[in-house]
Amino acid sequence: DVIICRIFEGELETLLIKRKDPPFKNKWAICGGFVRIAEDEGLEQAAQRKLFEEIGVKKLPVRQLATYGDDTKRDPRDRIISTVYFALVSEEVFDQQVIRPNQDAAEAKWVNLRKARNLAFDHRTILNDFDLYMRERIVSDDLAFGLVNKRFTWSELRSVYETVLDRPLIAQNFPRDIKHNFLVNELDETKSVGRGKPAKLCVYQGRVSRFR
C-alpha cells in the first residue's frame, strides 16, 4: 500500500482511489495491491508498479512506513499482511505526473488526510499512523523538503511545518531553528510574494553533520 501526500492550500492531503471491485467496491482507499511473489518482485518494486497501474504515476521516491498484519480480519478475503510506503510530493514533482485512474481504480482524488472517513480495509488507521509519524519526525527528519519545490522560500517551508504540526511557528526564529539540523543554502535569486518585498529562494543541501 502506498500513501501519496502533498500540501495544498494549507492542508495535508492524500490521494485516494475508488475501488472498482470487491471487497469494498466503490469505497475510497489508498493505492495498493498484491506483490507478485512468483515473479520474485520486491516490495518497493511492487509499490511502484501499483502506483503506475492504479493512477498512472511513475518513479515517485517512496519510504517505508510500517507493516500491518496483527488484525487478522483487516481484509475479508484472507489474512493479508501489508507493508505500507509513503511518497511526499511537491507541486513541482506532481505537476510532471498525469493522474489517470486505471485497472482497479474507478476514480482518484485528493482529500484532506485528516478528514477522510469511511475508507476501505484499515486505511483510516494507516493514515492516522502516518499523520502521527509526520508530526513526530518532521522536526528531526528531512521530510518537509519533500513537500516543497527544489527552490523554495522560508515562508513556503515554514508553511509545510505549520501544516504538519497543526500549529503556528515564530517566523523570525524559523530559519535559525531549521539551520540547526539542516543545510539550507540561500540563493541570490528572489521570488515575488504579493505586494511585499521579494523573498529569497533557498535550496536544501542535506543534514548538518554532528561529527568533526
Side-chain angles (χ1 to χ4, degrees), residues 132-155:
L132 180 61
Y133 175 94
M134 291 291 290
R135 290 174 189 260
E136 291 179 341
R137 300 290 185 91
I138 196 165
V139 173
S140 59
D141 205 338
D142 61 355
L143 297 165
F145 299 98
L147 293 165
V148 289
N149 294 335
K150 287 184 179 179
R151 300 191 306 168
F152 55 87
T153 66
W154 283 114
S155 177

Side-chain angles (χ1 to χ4, degrees), residues 76-92:
R77 292 169 291 192
D78 202 345
R79 181 172 186 184
I80 303 296
I81 297 172
S82 176
T83 299
V84 178
Y85 287 82
F86 66 92
L88 304 175
V89 297
S90 65
E91 177 184 348
E92 183 177 66

Side-chain angles (χ1 to χ4, degrees), residues 1-4 15-17 29-33 50-51 54-55 123:
D1 291 319
V2 189
I3 300 166
I4 302 178
L15 189 68
L16 299 181
I17 58 120
I30 60 179
C31 295
K50 290 309 298 180
L51 285 178
E54 294 195 341
I55 56 173
H123 289 184

Side-chain angles (χ1 to χ4, degrees), residues 66-83:
T67 298
Y68 294 80
D70 289 343
D71 180 0
T72 60
K73 306 296 185 184
R74 61 185 303 274
D75 190 317
R77 292 169 291 192
D78 202 345
R79 181 172 186 184
I80 303 296
I81 297 172
S82 176
T83 299

